Amino acid sequence: MSRPGGDLPVPPGPGIPEGLTIPAGELLERFSRSPGPGGQSVNTSDSRVELVLDVAGSAALTEGQRRRALGRLAGQLVDGTVVVVASEHRSQHRNRVAARERLADLLRTALAPPPPPRRATKPTKGSQRRRLDAKRQRGQTKALRGRVRGD
């Protein structure tokens, strides 16, 4: 778990075997009033947290990681930056922790390599034979459903 205001550790995973640490200087935290629960202090405390990371200009990412992250996060980026918002908790501290965890998970999935392509396979001879036998059997069953003729 990362400490709010400090560096953001991203745990090891596919694409980042040693893990990753985003320096605190590359993260920007903004606070605002949360629309969620809060009791009496809901209109006075800035508990909503926006965590901003400039993916395009991050020095913590290698060039390959940056390209992969920009490609995967293309729908969520605004001018090369990704914004993660947390406002589900009543305290600012818990929202800061939640936003940092969410950003770490987002980066971890964005930096994972794509799955290997599917290899097409042919049906086995036995499965083809069983399918054709079943079709023949169904055809015979339906052929016997005809009108009964008396000779």
Side-chain angles (χ1 to χ4, degrees):
M1 187 164 113
S2 66
R3 193 180 86 249
D7 293 345
L8 176 66
V10 179
I16 43 173
E18 293 88 32
L20 182 68
T21 301
I22 306 293
E26 293 187 9
L27 298 171
L28 172 67
E29 287 182 320
R30 290 191 295 237
F31 307 102
S32 61
R33 292 196 177 134
S34 176
Q40 291 178 330
S41 62
V42 71
N43 292 327
T44 58
S45 65
D46 293 339
S47 60
R48 181 177 182 263
V49 178
E50 289 182 16
L51 189 60
V52 182
L53 173 67
D54 183 12
V55 178
S58 177
L61 302 173
T62 64
E63 189 56 40
Q65 289 174 334
R66 186 176 298 112
R67 264 186 279 122
R68 182 176 285 163
L70 288 172
R72 289 268 179 88
L73 298 173
Q76 300 175 10
L77 294 176
V78 177
D79 296 330
T81 62
V82 65
V83 179
V84 176
V85 178
S87 63
E88 63 268 12
H89 301 291
R90 290 172 66 156
S91 81
Q92 186 186 82
H93 178 77
R94 287 179 63 192
N95 280 332
R96 288 175 83 182
V97 171
R100 294 171 77 79
E101 288 175 356
R102 208 170 292 157
L103 180 61
D105 289 343
L106 187 69
L107 286 175
R108 192 165 173 226
T109 56
L111 294 175
R118 180 186 173 275
R119 226 182 277 156
T121 58
K122 285 174 26 179
T124 63
K125 295 278 187 200
S127 69
Q128 289 177 357
R129 189 174 8 87
R130 284 190 298 274
R131 183 180 64 86
L132 293 176
D133 288 345
K135 283 173 71 89
R136 232 177 267 112
Q137 181 62 40
R138 279 194 305 273
Q140 287 175 355
T141 302
K142 291 185 176 191
L144 293 174
R145 292 182 188 160
R147 195 176 277 247
V148 179
R149 282 182 251 153
D151 287 334

